[in-house]
Amino acid sequence: MKKVMLVPLDDRPCCTVFPADMGKMVGVEIIQPPSELLGRFMVPGDGVLIGEWMLQNAEYVDGFIISCDMLAYGGLIASRDVNTSLDDALDRLQVIKKIRSIYPNKPVYAQSVLMRISITSKNKEYTKYWADIIRYSVLVDKVERMGMSELKKEWEEIRSQIPEEILQNYLVARRRNHKINLEMIKWVKEEIIDFLIITQEDCAEFGLHVREQDILIESLYQYKIMERVIIYPGADEGTQTLLLRMVLKSKNHKLRLYPIFCHTNGESIISTFEDRSIGETLKGHIYAIGGTVVNDINDADIVIMLNTPMDNQVPYVRRQKGGYVSSRHNLWSFIDKMNYLLKTKDLPVAVADVCFPNASDSALIEYMFQAVELPSLYGYAGWNTTGNTIGTTLSLSGARWYLEQYGDEEGLKNFIEFLIGRFLDEWGYQGNARQDLYHYIQEDLKVSPMDVEEQYEAANLKLKELMMPYCERVEQVFQDREILHRKEGYRIGQISIQVDLPWNRAFECRVEVEVGLWNI
């Protein structure tokens, strides 16, 4: 597997840069459509032109990883709108059939997203009804599927408060997307697609998505393709997952993972924005990468340690710039186990920080900065949803495992840069600087952090200023540290960091890291 074509979910770094960087780690060149075809923020990508580009370049690659939502609608945000008809979406997806017919022996892996239970906060009016749509979806599910008729009055009240146009756009988009997901499953049965992940975007334990999932699962059993399609929480990390699966498949290796949870009940917690326990989400992601859970730690290729909440009562809004501070949040035990596995047992360890959505647990990171040799880790992530974090942790640590078996010094350099980027993004920006940037945008620039309008340059400049101390802290932690690769020692040299806002909003940050690395 030398070159793979990847059609990303959209143009954000997590969808384009992350898989490209992981490709470098495992010695696979990733080619993606020209950036101008992918759209940006509220501007959809051009599925028709992307399809033409795919056909023009298909002969030069060894496999295909395709985001159906980019082809069909123009990206994730566009998938929640009604600007694309069902017929047009299906027409744009026909390029997958063409590629399969021309290159029947090249693997085709695809991702399709199961729509979240709310709407995009694309303007003030949509933001106003964001929570109401979630509540509406939950109530419909509880009344119709669960038979909780006592909630029907509340359901009707919520429905009356939502403008009809907003509600109908939401429902029409759901129905269209559901039909596309059913069609993609059918294409797996017809062997047009080799492996399909249907990733469940932001949701809850109850909602309209649950019945959709049931219908999709029923079709898998009907077609007898249960092992080739998986439905689980996630979205933005999906193409990373498929890349690792494709690479491991080329080596005929099933990655073996041993999970350790920070709390005894952490496995059973249902995270914010998800519909199932953390343990079940983890199982889905492990299967999706082509891995399996093992019960004996000595059989594991990687130990994945998960920093979880203790219960479902952890507030979504953390205390200002803090972590989960509680006498029962036993980070000392978590860190002690981590160091025992790394130093005494010499086992590969990766950390999935899922205590909070949309940021690292700062208490954990500060502790790790002091007590853990971070370059020894096989991976870390702590961004967005539990699914996003687990998927990135697994794909990064899987790439690191691959490096140890087959990789070179350049791949190691790419790994270190990516690992440093995770701490800068998830801890530095999302866990800390983002709060200050939001305040500045709202109070000084007088615009919304979710759309900075004409104030992008000012917001971007403030971002760089706010991130400076966190960049310096991470440099102190990593610079001049040693890392072992294939039994040879390397030292991390000068670290260069660049940050900016990839979209016209402050929700995410692009982090670019370059390190010097020399053999010792």
Side-chain angles (χ1 to χ4, degrees):
M1 190 63 57
K2 296 181 179 179
K3 186 179 291 188
V4 170
M5 176 181 289
L6 186 144
V7 177
L9 184 58
D10 55 42
D11 74 317
R12 286 172 298 159
C14 57
C15 301
T16 56
V17 178
F18 285 18
D21 285 347
M22 289 182 186
K24 294 174 184 176
M25 295 177 211
V26 297
V28 175
E29 181 183 353
I30 303 297
I31 70 164
Q32 302 184 52
S35 58
E36 61 269 19
L37 300 185
L38 298 178
R40 187 172 185 267
F41 197 18
M42 296 294 181
V43 178
D46 192 324
V48 174
L49 292 181
I50 290 173
E52 293 176 3
W53 173 87
M54 291 172 68
L55 288 171
Q56 292 167 3
N57 292 276
E59 66 175 298
Y60 306 113
V61 301
D62 303 306
F64 306 89
I65 295 173
I66 302 166
S67 166
C68 297
D69 293 78
M70 173 55 78
L71 268 183
Y73 319 115
L76 184 61
I77 287 180
S79 74
R80 306 175 195 142
D81 216 331
V82 293
N83 294 327
T84 302
S85 69
L86 175 62
D87 288 343
D88 285 344
L90 286 170
D91 283 345
R92 295 169 188 173
L93 289 164
Q94 295 303 310
V95 67
I96 301 176
K97 283 188 172 182
K98 292 178 183 177
I99 283 174
R100 171 56 89 192
S101 66
I102 300 169
Y103 306 101
N105 297 320
K106 295 184 179 183
V108 176
Y109 290 2
Q111 174 194 14
S112 195
V113 175
L114 203 159
M115 186 172 157
R116 69 198 241 180
I117 61 171
S118 193
I119 52 180
T120 300
S121 298
K122 61 183 181 180
N123 56 41
K124 291 180 180 178
E125 185 178 19
Y126 270 67
T127 300
K128 180 180 177 181
Y129 295 105
W130 181 85
D132 287 342
I133 290 286
I134 293 177
R135 187 61 184 156
Y136 168 84
S137 179
V138 169
L139 288 169
V140 171
D141 185 43
K142 286 185 174 181
V143 172
E144 292 188 344
R145 185 175 64 89
M146 303 299 293
M148 302 170 69
S149 56
E150 68 274 15
L151 297 174
K152 190 171 183 180
K153 184 178 179 180
E154 183 184 354
W155 165 25
E156 291 171 346
E157 288 176 355
I158 286 287
R159 191 189 194 289
S160 67
Q161 295 170 14
I162 303 170
E164 190 65 16
E165 181 183 359
I166 290 178
L167 181 59
Q168 287 306 313
N169 282 354
Y170 167 74
L171 294 174
V172 169
R174 290 205 76 89
R175 288 193 291 268
R176 178 203 59 199
N177 294 10
H178 181 57
K179 290 176 181 177
I180 291 293
N181 284 334
L182 283 169
E183 187 68 11
M184 294 304 100
I185 288 174
K186 184 180 177 184
W187 286 12
V188 174
K189 175 185 177 292
E190 295 171 352
E191 300 188 350
I192 296 162
I193 295 172
D194 294 300
F195 186 76
L196 173 68
I197 56 173
I198 298 179
T199 47
Q200 174 61 66
E201 199 189 358
D202 300 357
C203 61
E205 188 175 2
F206 299 96
L208 292 173
H209 62 290
V210 179
R211 182 56 186 146
E212 293 170 358
Q213 289 176 2
D214 289 346
I215 293 170
L216 296 173
I217 291 292
E218 287 170 6
S219 70
L220 301 185
Y221 281 88
Q222 177 188 347
Y223 294 145
K224 296 180 173 58
I225 53 171
M226 293 81 73
E227 77 284 0
R228 294 168 55 206
V229 182
I230 183 168
I231 303 169
Y232 63 96
D236 307 338
E237 80 302 325
T239 51
Q240 304 169 43
T241 297
L242 292 176
L243 173 62
L244 181 60
R245 184 184 184 90
M246 189 174 285
V247 168
L248 291 174
K249 180 74 172 177
S250 72
K251 296 296 184 181
N252 199 30
H253 182 76
K254 184 176 283 290
L255 204 64
R256 298 164 298 184
L257 293 116
Y258 183 90
I260 294 176
F261 294 87
C262 186
H263 301 290
T264 54
N265 61 334
E267 187 175 3
S268 63
I269 300 301
I270 298 176
S271 299
T272 305
F273 303 125
E274 299 210 341
D275 61 358
R276 66 200 70 186
S277 69
I278 294 171
E280 292 304 315
T281 293
L282 176 64
K283 287 179 187 176
H285 281 270
I286 288 176
Y287 185 83
I289 64 168
T292 190
V293 177
V294 294
N295 296 320
D296 185 340
I297 197 170
N298 295 306
D299 291 337
D301 293 315
I302 301 166
V303 178
I304 178 167
M305 301 187 69
L306 298 97
N307 177 38
T308 67
M310 293 183 300
D311 53 50
N312 288 319
Q313 305 306 312
V314 176
Y316 170 53
V317 181
R318 300 174 305 285
R319 68 179 179 84
Q320 186 73 6
K321 295 185 182 177
Y324 186 10
V325 179
S326 166
S327 61
R328 294 177 295 143
H329 189 41
N330 296 323
L331 290 179
W332 52 267
S333 175
F334 193 65
I335 297 295
D336 186 62
K337 172 72 78 171
M338 193 182 304
N339 279 327
Y340 171 73
L341 296 174
L342 287 170
K343 296 178 179 179
T344 305
K345 300 292 287 183
D346 194 28
L347 289 172
V349 175
V351 179
D353 190 357
V354 298
C355 193
F356 302 110
N358 296 319
S360 297
D361 176 355
S362 290
L364 170 68
I365 300 306
E366 290 290 354
Y367 202 156
M368 289 174 67
F369 281 173
Q370 296 174 35
V372 178
E373 280 295 319
L374 295 184
S376 300
L377 290 177
Y378 265 47
Y380 170 85
W383 66 287
N384 248 30
T385 66
T386 290
N388 296 150
T389 284
I390 289 176
T392 301
T393 305
L394 290 176
S395 54
L396 177 59
S397 59
R400 179 74 174 90
W401 176 88
Y402 188 94
L403 265 171
E404 282 301 300
Q405 314 306 311
Y406 312 105
D408 56 20
E409 184 177 324
E410 186 61 27
L412 179 66
K413 178 178 180 293
N414 295 134
F415 167 80
I416 296 167
E417 291 169 347
F418 193 94
L419 181 65
I420 292 172
R422 303 284 48 76
F423 288 103
L424 286 166
D425 191 348
E426 279 98 281
W427 169 74
Y429 183 65
Q430 296 182 43
N432 290 282
R434 181 164 61 186
Q435 298 173 59
D436 291 332
L437 183 59
Y438 271 35
H439 180 79
Y440 169 77
I441 289 170
Q442 291 168 323
E443 300 300 319
D444 292 67
L445 301 183
K446 307 298 184 185
V447 293
S448 168
M450 297 308 290
D451 186 351
V452 298
E453 301 174 14
E454 304 302 319
Q455 300 290 348
Y456 174 83
E457 293 300 332
N460 206 42
L461 191 63
K462 187 67 174 179
L463 162 71
K464 298 177 187 298
E465 175 191 325
L466 291 171
M467 280 293 290
M468 194 171 298
Y470 303 105
C471 292
E472 291 173 352
R473 180 78 175 96
V474 170
E475 286 176 16
Q476 291 171 1
V477 170
F478 279 90
Q479 194 160 307
D480 294 327
R481 297 296 178 91
E482 294 181 10
I483 182 171
L484 279 176
H485 171 57
R486 308 190 77 175
K487 298 182 180 180
E488 289 194 50
Y490 293 84
R491 187 179 299 277
I492 301 171
Q494 186 68 35
I495 301 173
S496 173
I497 301 166
Q498 298 292 328
V499 296
D500 67 3
L501 298 174
W503 276 3
N504 215 48
R505 67 181 189 182
F507 184 72
E508 58 269 299
C509 171
R510 172 166 39 222
V511 178
E512 295 181 359
V513 179
E514 186 170 347
V515 303
L517 185 70
W518 64 87
N519 191 259
I520 54 174

